[in-house]
Amino acid sequence: MTQGTHEPGSSERRPPSRRTVLAAMGALPVLTATTSASASTRGASGTAAATTAVVDPSARRQTIRGFGGMTHAAWAGDLTAAQRDTAFGTGEGRLGLSVLRIPVPENRADWSRDLATAKRAAELGATVFASPWNPPAHMVETFVHGSQTNARRLRHDMYGAYARHLNDFNGFQRNNGVNLYGISVQNEPDYAHDWTWWTPGELVRFLREHAGSLNTRVIAPESFNYTKTVSDPILNDPAALANVDIIATHLYGTPFTNFPYPLFRQKGAGKELWMTEVYYPDSTSSADLWPQALDVAEHLHHAMVGAEFQAYVWWYIRRSYGLLREDGRLSKRGACMAHFARFVRPGHVRIEATATPAPNVRVSAYQGGSSIVVVAINKATSPVSQQFTLKHSTASRLSSWLTDASRTVARQGTIGMSNGSFTVTLPARSVTTLVTA
């Protein structure tokens, strides 16, 4: 892969790539509520009133695997020891990531490059998985793909050898203290100008004939913008589907209207659905730009509620546009991720909640044991007085955390509850996380 496709260090000085254009498209409002908060009924204080957001723990949705990011030492440098703890720790000032994605280098000599971060993430309880960009060079042949005369693909007679390569990488990680949760067949097989192409038919063939020999969970297809024609053939082939554990995708340029996946709901029983790479809304703006960073919280909301993903994974953890700034401190984009990652932990279950109780307000809710977590996003330019009802709840108070233009995952103290009901003022352009005590 050339670094410029993902990496602004080289691409920001060139005309935008196809990925950059598509990523920017994803930032456009697509069939989302756009009514101004001024259209809502207002109290004497000028705070917009909203309908009650009802949270129902009896209506259970997907189980959450976690929220994470990518480390790729060859392209962006490794995280420092302190940055690993900031990324995967759960205390104040931490990101709370519970998933780490690492690359599968084609050369064995490079297999230890991301090991230190993988080991520390695993020690802190994170799920670690891996994605390859290319097979070893001797397994690859070139062919003509449209206008690309030197496109690469895995030779069909090397499918078995490639499966052994993936197994060997998994074994290397395990022998060095990292038990991979799963391994992908290919990163973005449908956007492979700089790496290895796979057709949907080739993916199905590999999954059907060779994925059963892989000794960890199998992830596919990691389409770059949730192109369903890449994953549909897997879901429609019982033999291929039997050998895949996680249907995964990326969301570059994917409009919110394309987030739901009815075929997965129909045929994906027993499988997991992950979003394994994205940056949003772009890779050229500072991650501290506000309120643009609030778009990350909205994107996460739609990924959880509309798409019902079980994992959500950012691209580089540390970058100017990333979850951590280059100095290793939490960015505003990272703060929006932390509102989910720190409090919605692996094993939590998303529960039904009124998703849009007011124009420009988004609500999602999760349950872990007896604790309920509510994430409320207000993209309006005015504060909103939001009432909540937690059905079947015996809790008497909640703790809250807030991010807005001047505060970053700042603890706000406790809120009293009476018969499962409470009211919170959501500041203008903010994200609030509420956790029952």
Side-chain angles (χ1 to χ4, degrees):
M1 164 179 179
T2 57
Q3 194 175 4
T5 304
H6 280 290
E7 173 52 47
S10 56
S11 68
E12 64 190 4
R13 292 185 292 273
R14 300 202 306 260
S17 67
R18 178 165 170 249
R19 174 189 300 283
T20 303
V21 172
L22 286 166
M25 288 169 55
L28 298 176
V30 183
L31 295 184
T32 56
T34 56
T35 306
S36 169
S38 63
S40 301
T41 303
R42 293 182 180 274
S45 66
T47 300
T51 59
T52 299
V54 178
V55 178
D56 185 1
S58 68
R60 295 166 66 85
R61 303 306 182 210
Q62 77 269 31
T63 299
I64 304 302
R65 179 61 56 192
F67 302 86
M70 175 94 190
T71 185
H72 201 311
W75 294 343
D78 200 3
L79 301 180
T80 67
Q83 289 164 0
R84 293 168 194 143
D85 287 355
T86 299
F88 296 96
T90 57
E92 296 295 327
R94 311 291 192 181
L95 261 172
L97 300 183
S98 52
V99 178
L100 172 66
R101 183 182 184 225
I102 61 174
V104 181
E106 57 196 86
N107 298 318
R108 288 173 180 262
D110 299 326
W111 282 3
S112 62
R113 193 150 43 195
D114 299 283
L115 186 60
T117 292
K119 288 180 69 172
R120 184 55 179 157
E123 289 169 359
L124 293 171
T127 294
V128 183
F129 75 100
S131 299
W133 270 247
N134 290 303
H138 72 276
M139 299 182 189
V140 174
E141 65 182 3
T142 59
F143 71 110
V144 176
H145 185 277
S147 61
Q148 187 180 3
T149 58
N150 62 341
R152 284 176 287 181
R153 66 185 172 202
L154 178 66
R155 287 166 43 189
H156 292 172
D157 64 339
M158 286 289 179
Y159 279 19
Y162 182 56
R164 290 189 292 275
H165 168 75
L166 298 179
N167 270 338
D168 287 348
F169 180 81
N170 180 53
F172 174 87
Q173 294 292 319
R174 183 179 60 248
N175 292 338
N176 284 278
V178 177
N179 291 316
L180 293 181
Y181 185 83
I183 198 162
S184 171
V185 175
Q186 173 65 46
N187 169 75
E188 297 181 346
D190 54 336
Y191 188 89
H193 307 278
D194 295 303
W195 48 87
T196 302
W197 293 96
W198 291 65
T199 67
E202 287 168 338
L203 284 167
V204 166
R205 177 180 172 181
F206 180 85
L207 290 170
R208 187 194 302 125
E209 298 178 1
H210 297 280
S213 68
L214 298 179
N215 49 26
T216 187
R217 293 174 187 83
V218 178
I219 302 169
E222 292 200 278
S223 165
F224 88 103
N225 75 335
Y226 214 1
T227 303
K228 306 297 197 302
T229 53
V230 180
S231 48
D232 282 355
I234 298 171
L235 290 167
N236 285 322
D237 188 297
L241 185 60
N243 286 335
V244 72
D245 302 281
I246 300 164
I247 297 294
T249 191
H250 302 171
L251 290 178
Y252 291 107
T254 310
F256 296 149
T257 49
N258 287 356
F259 277 25
Y261 198 178
L263 187 64
F264 178 83
R265 294 177 183 176
Q266 176 188 349
K267 297 190 174 184
K271 310 299 178 181
E272 297 186 55
L273 185 63
W274 287 21
M275 196 293 295
T276 53
E277 186 189 313
V278 77
Y279 53 73
Y280 189 85
D282 60 39
S283 63
T284 55
S285 303
S286 166
D288 285 321
L289 187 63
W290 195 266
Q292 188 201 63
L294 192 57
D295 291 347
V296 174
E298 183 182 36
H299 198 259
L300 276 154
H301 168 86
H302 287 289
M304 295 296 105
V305 175
E308 297 190 283
F309 290 123
Q310 294 168 266
Y312 182 104
V313 182
W314 192 263
W315 178 228
Y316 293 141
I317 294 172
R318 185 200 65 223
R319 216 64 183 153
S320 61
Y321 57 89
L323 307 176
L324 299 182
R325 305 184 324 193
E326 290 289 5
D327 63 5
R329 297 177 62 187
L330 194 68
S331 70
K332 284 291 190 181
R333 291 184 182 184
C336 289
M337 173 78 90
H339 273 275
F340 290 84
R342 270 182 56 189
F343 307 100
V344 182
R345 302 300 297 168
H348 275 56
V349 176
R350 188 176 72 84
I351 55 179
E352 193 62 36
T354 305
T356 311
N360 297 306
V361 173
R362 304 282 183 265
V363 172
S364 62
Y366 312 82
Q367 184 172 32
S370 60
S371 178
I372 292 175
V373 179
V374 177
V375 183
I377 302 156
N378 179 18
K379 293 197 74 180
T381 56
S382 300
V384 172
S385 178
Q386 182 61 60
Q387 184 176 12
F388 293 86
T389 295
L390 274 56
K391 299 175 74 171
H392 319 300
S393 176
T394 59
S396 60
R397 65 187 188 280
L398 305 96
S399 299
S400 65
W401 288 260
L402 171 68
T403 295
D404 60 7
S406 60
R407 291 165 286 195
T408 301
V409 202
R411 187 157 189 159
Q412 301 299 291
T414 58
I415 300 166
M417 266 178 32
S418 177
N419 297 320
S421 294
F422 62 96
T423 300
V424 177
T425 296
L426 306 176
R429 291 174 169 170
S430 69
V431 53
T432 300
T433 296
L434 305 150
V435 183
T436 60

